Amino acid sequence: MFDCLTDAHCHADFTKSSPDGGLDAGMDLCACACYPEDWKALRDFSAPKVKKSFGLHPTRADMNLLPTIDDYLEFASAVGETGLDERAADGIPLEQQREVFDTQLRLADKFRLPAVIHCVGFWGELVKILKEWAARSPGAKFMLHAAKCSPEIARELEKIGGYFSFGLRELNSKKGAACAAAVSPDRILVETDALPSREIIFETIGKLADLRGTGDVELAQSAYVNYFRFYGK
Ligand SMILES: [Zn+2]
């Protein structure tokens, strides 16, 4: 129905027999490979409308896994997803997550790329790290994927280059809905965080438009413009 659907954050599945990794969804999308074993398959895949993001997820934060990522970032539209995850802190202490996160933000600078951010808990720490990044890298852009921070934090993040991407899971939660209602129209994106699907994106746009009291088409168009402003052409 819309010719301007976008999926700002999805994941391929190259383990299936399908050679397209499930990415042939008929819309503009950014596929994220956030584990080292997924980097190569995504790099070697190419199709129109598919952008790529390579990073190391905080649940696998380990400096020893990072050295080869430069070989992939040359083909990337973003670094990530990277960030902090309180649920993983038993096995991967905050200090270690912070080091791996900060290293990836420095890679974003090196390759002049925006960053895709994952955060569960640790919000104070996340805001602090992103503020430090923004201060040393004017013009840096980042997208909070699966956004459900408080409206207050969202406003702080907008001031330093933050975009916000929402999927059905967030929009169906109280926190996510409050965040989605609060962010500026020029910072909003939509995502599946799974195999891309026009049907799911369509439903997400409808839900998000309802929450924001706007029309579906208007919202889809904003997300489209924001997608290309964030990831580049
Ligand atoms: Zn994801």
Side-chain angles (χ1 to χ4, degrees):
M1 204 178 313
F2 297 146
D3 55 7
C4 59
L5 296 184
T6 49
D7 188 344
H9 179 83
C10 59
H11 294 274
D13 184 0
F14 289 108
T15 57
K16 282 188 190 163
S17 53
S18 61
D20 70 8
L23 296 179
D24 186 14
M27 63 181 160
D28 286 282
L29 58 88
C30 185
C32 171
C34 53
Y35 305 111
E37 58 272 23
D38 296 335
W39 291 342
K40 187 177 182 305
L42 182 61
R43 180 191 63 186
D44 293 347
F45 175 77
S46 114
K49 295 178 180 268
V50 174
K51 294 182 184 294
K52 302 170 185 180
S53 174
F54 300 92
L56 193 54
H57 199 276
T59 57
R60 288 280 295 277
D62 177 350
M63 288 299 286
N64 295 318
L65 296 174
L66 273 181
T68 61
I69 200 170
D70 282 33
D71 299 344
Y72 303 92
L73 290 175
E74 285 173 43
F75 303 90
S77 294
V79 174
E81 54 193 289
T82 177
L84 303 173
D85 193 322
E86 202 172 40
R87 293 171 306 190
D90 279 350
I92 309 175
L94 174 59
E95 190 50 47
Q96 185 176 333
Q97 292 190 32
R98 191 194 286 132
E99 185 185 10
V100 174
F101 179 26
D102 193 59
T103 301
Q104 289 178 83
L105 295 178
R106 289 176 192 280
L107 286 168
D109 289 337
K110 179 179 170 186
F111 288 89
R112 298 175 177 276
L113 294 171
V116 176
I117 308 294
H118 164 109
C119 187
V120 174
F122 291 146
W123 284 102
E125 195 61 31
L126 185 97
V127 171
K128 188 167 152 243
I129 292 169
L130 289 172
K131 280 186 172 170
E132 285 167 8
W133 182 41
R136 69 170 187 261
S137 307
K141 280 183 293 188
F142 62 89
M143 170 191 114
L144 189 62
H145 111 82
K148 54 178 193 178
C149 59
S150 70
E152 292 74 26
I153 289 178
R155 271 189 286 279
E156 275 191 75
L157 295 180
E158 277 193 8
K159 282 188 213 147
I160 55 167
Y163 286 65
F164 304 85
S165 182
F166 301 95
L168 283 178
R169 187 182 46 199
E170 293 73 62
L171 299 178
N172 285 322
S173 78
K174 214 173 155 187
K175 273 185 174 176
C179 182
V183 304
S184 301
D186 64 340
R187 300 301 179 91
I188 208 158
L189 297 159
V190 287
E191 67 177 46
T192 58
D193 195 22
L195 280 182
S197 149
R198 282 177 66 90
E199 289 68 33
I200 292 172
I201 287 295
F202 200 73
E203 196 182 335
T204 307
I205 285 169
K207 181 110 192 167
L208 189 50
D210 283 353
L211 275 167
R212 292 175 63 83
T214 181
D216 291 13
V217 173
E218 190 186 333
L219 198 129
Q221 284 169 344
S222 297
Y224 184 85
V225 170
N226 297 343
Y227 174 93
F228 285 103
R229 192 181 331 103
F230 181 74
Y231 284 117
K233 283 286 172 192

